[in-house]
Amino acid sequence: MSSTALYNLSTGGYVMSLAIFALHVVNTRRLLLRFGVALVAASFLVQTAGMVYRWMEAGVLEVHAAEKTLGAALSGWSWFVVFTQHPPWSNLYEIMIYMSWGITMATLACELKWQLAWVRQIGIILALMALGMASLNDATIKPLVPALKSWWIMIHVISASIAYASGSLAAFISLFAIIKSRVHRTQMMGCAVLFLGCLIFLLGGGLRLLRDQAYYVKLLSYAGDNIRNVMDMSKEKAASYLIPMPMVGPLLLLVVVIHILVGVFLLWRFSKIKDEEKLSGWAVIACLVSVLATGLIMFGHDIKRTAILVDGNISHHLFPAGPWFIGFKSHPWSLGLFIFVVFIEAILAIYWYWPQMVTKRLPDSAVLESAAYKAISLAFFLMSVVLITGALWAHYAWGRYWAWDPKETGALAIWLTYAIYLHARRTKGLSHTFSSVIGIIGFFVILIGFLGVNLGLFADGLHTYGNS
Amino acid sequence: MMRTWAVALTNKTFQFFVSLKLTFVLLLFIGIGAVIGMSFDQTVTFEEFYQRHPKEEMATFFLSFFELYDAFHSWWFSLAILLLAMNLIACSIERLPRIYFEFVRPRPYLTKRRMLGLPLSWSAKVDTEEKAMELINAFLPKRSNRARLKGPDGFFYCERASLARFGVYVVHVSLLIVMFSSIYATQNGVDGHVMIDEGTMARFITRRGHSGVSSPYDLGFYIGCEDFRLRTFVDNSPMEFESDLFISGDRFEKTHQKTVRVNEPLKFAGFTFYQASYKPIASEPLVTILVGDGRDFNERYRVRLNEPIKLLDSTVISVDKIYEDFAGLGQALRIKKETAFTSTYFHIFRRHRDYDRVVRNDRYQVIFLDADQKYATGLSVGKLPGIEAIFLGFFILLCGLFMCFFMTPVRYFARMQKVSDHIVVSLAAQGFRNPQAVKDMFHRRIKSLPI
């Protein structure tokens, strides 16, 4: 038994509960729902046990390493300090596991308090996405670097993860609040598609594409059963050697253009014809298909690249380092973003074709809006704790309470987004729909602030030791 | 005439700054500015930044006009922060008196007119005064920070978490404290870095200035490093590093000594010296070995290569060679052992400390503890006057946020009015935040009434 086995067990539980929730959409028996929620709770407990177990595993490793280095056995308080100094959220793998734990906890809290339809499904999907992201990273426990040997790591990272989890869930509750608040479907779709188009351009590498006239991916080398980044020996860390990926650049721009055209068309149509019956679903499907096609072409290219990189019997090497793995390792940000956009557009498409199915189960928009407000208030409070504890820790460890490091600035951007949300709610003349839109944008700011630095979207900063 | 114009201008300016929409726009601007600043490397100097970015005239103008090499100290970012500070001050000046007077004079009577303005109200007819009192007692919360008030003509009133109404102001005041003390600390503080070789001292540090430009700074005293120790795990990754630092005056007398580690700095004369980094320097390494006979003799030696160690029975040992990795067994030493007649060599391994005792089983066992490459210790030097005020601001901010998000101020009103042969009981509540939660709470209270 190991922590990884417990994590796998909990992942299985989440997948099963998601299947039960999907079944509950067609068969609305209360027992089914209760069983699904109980399964989520049980899987959550298993994951918690896994985290506690991993803490113990890391503790044993730290004690062993310290004893070997010092040449003496530790005992008493010094043993306790070394044993507990390595919490299970000290690298990206553990952080993503911890994120999924936080999201599940927020989903369960939401379920206990409001029993919001769809939010439980979205929560579990987000938790599974976080677990999927975790699986792309190295799961081995390595000794903690000196800078992280501080008690501040406990409160700092705990607050950050719960804040990100509750902010993410709040974004989807806000989306449902907009859906429920009788905003015209065509108008909503137009705005959403325009927003997603801009997002793909800005975060999917559009600016770099215009500057370098090519889409680049990380060059990876094959080593045994693992795919490793090419090492830059002078810096003793993985370096991002980039190679151009043909076709993807123009396709990415095409996707952006399709989104913008569709968005503008839908908004124009809304201004001319306000008849719900005359909706044109092909527009949203075109967006969905364009994003899917570009993602699949990327995968196709990675499969070819795998054939070049992997010697001998390829099928033997497809698991665990399959083409999807190489794809994610070489351009995690773009593919992650694409999958997410597909996920959002799938929700929008479902709403477009079967609006009653989505809205009839949702409570009143005021209830949803209030739930989103509470979740964002919690996220805002915890983000303040993150910024304050981070500043205190940085002051004692580095001598600078604030260094405008990308991760620090990212956390500040999240905090500011939620401050805007809270002020927008109180500003006369701005509707709650407007603040809900900011709540949704908050999710993308979380992605930028939390993952942007780790996945190489921004310059290296003081937090980059958390990357691996 | 002039005075009227001046008053009108002052009023207009004030109205501009008290606007919540201005707050909204400024926060948005700062948020977007933060993301833009994140996209450019802010740790490089002005020259390095220009070398990295395009040389086209427009791009150069854009980068230099918006000072993107130091975005967070640029004119536009500073202006936005300053405007936000003014906005906070103006909003507080405008709204605080109203809230204060509402707090001290809460208008506790639930008149008919008042009831019309309250969205959460409920009325019922009861037969007796006892029954009416029972309802009112069940409705009003048992614990409240304002004493229950029983006014004339059967008015009842109480309030919960009334102080939490000041939460927003506490948050704003704390942000102003943090902003102004940060500006003061940045203007009057020192933020620098110094590398000191083991066994040497330094008086000048490199101070980080505006736009990444560095300049030398005189500490006014010497800071020296007596010894630097790097402890590594078996895979050579750093486990811990520490420096024995000392402070000395112009006469080179040691006045202050401390061992600093990551998270454990040295404080002296307002400066704080943090263990930040290290780098090996080209010099002869020092080796630490432990020599023992398994009984009374157990001595630790720190020697250079080929430096003789004389043992009791005229045996002389010396470190002949250092291997960074000996046949995959990790760091190792070749030791030369000389007696009156013989000269032999043997190996000891850092990772396998019992090797010499078990394998060679000689009178003296040698244990390889450390091969000390000479290092330069990297110290981050900080002098932040007013840091206490910043931390005080943080503490007040947390208190304010707690008041805002975990305390909801609610006022409870009740009225008992005799109408012909029955009594009308009217109940109402007024929340000042979180209307949905207050509404839910009100309906829960009404549902639980003994009626």
Side-chain angles (χ1 to χ4, degrees), chain B residues 96-109 114 146 149 157 159 162 165-166 411 413 430 432:
Chain B
L96 189 60
R98 201 176 62 208
I99 296 284
Y100 176 73
F101 287 117
E102 272 267 315
F103 174 76
V104 291
R105 293 177 202 146
R107 294 190 297 149
Y109 306 119
R114 186 86 193 272
R146 284 282 177 92
L149 174 115
Y157 166 80
E159 192 172 355
S162 55
R165 302 182 72 182
F166 293 97
R411 285 175 174 174
F413 305 89
Q430 186 185 19
F432 294 90

Side-chain angles (χ1 to χ4, degrees), chain A residues 17 26 49 55 66 76 116 146 151 167 212 217 241 320 326-327 365 377 402 432:
Chain A
S17 61
V26 282
W55 200 334
L116 301 175
W151 287 98
D212 303 331
V217 288
Y241 291 122
I326 295 181
S365 70
S377 302
W402 188 264
H432 279 189

Side-chain angles (χ1 to χ4, degrees), chain B residues 74-185:
Chain B
S74 61
W75 62 267
W76 54 271
F77 200 79
S78 307
L79 183 68
I81 300 274
L82 188 72
L83 285 174
L84 186 68
M86 288 169 77
N87 179 235
L88 279 176
I89 294 168
C91 285
S92 302
I93 290 171
E94 202 246 359
R95 282 158 206 168
L96 189 60
R98 201 176 62 208
I99 296 284
Y100 176 73
F101 287 117
E102 272 267 315
F103 174 76
V104 291
R105 293 177 202 146
R107 294 190 297 149
Y109 306 119
L110 185 66
T111 57
K112 272 188 182 170
R113 199 174 158 192
R114 186 86 193 272
M115 203 157 160
L116 286 174
L118 294 173
L120 302 174
S121 59
W122 179 88
S123 291
K125 288 176 188 172
V126 290
D127 300 329
T128 60
E129 197 170 308
E130 286 74 31
K131 185 68 189 167
M133 274 314 294
E134 196 185 342
L135 286 182
I136 290 169
N137 279 329
F139 175 71
L140 296 178
K142 287 188 176 50
R143 287 188 307 126
S144 59
N145 60 350
R146 284 282 177 92
R148 287 174 178 221
L149 174 115
K150 189 174 185 304
D153 309 323
F155 287 115
F156 298 84
Y157 166 80
C158 75
E159 192 172 355
R160 287 192 85 170
S162 55
L163 270 174
R165 302 182 72 182
F166 293 97
V168 175
Y169 296 97
V170 175
V171 170
H172 287 178
V173 167
S174 70
L175 288 176
L176 286 171
I177 293 173
V178 172
M179 276 180 191
F180 287 115
S181 40
S182 304
I183 292 168
Y184 178 76

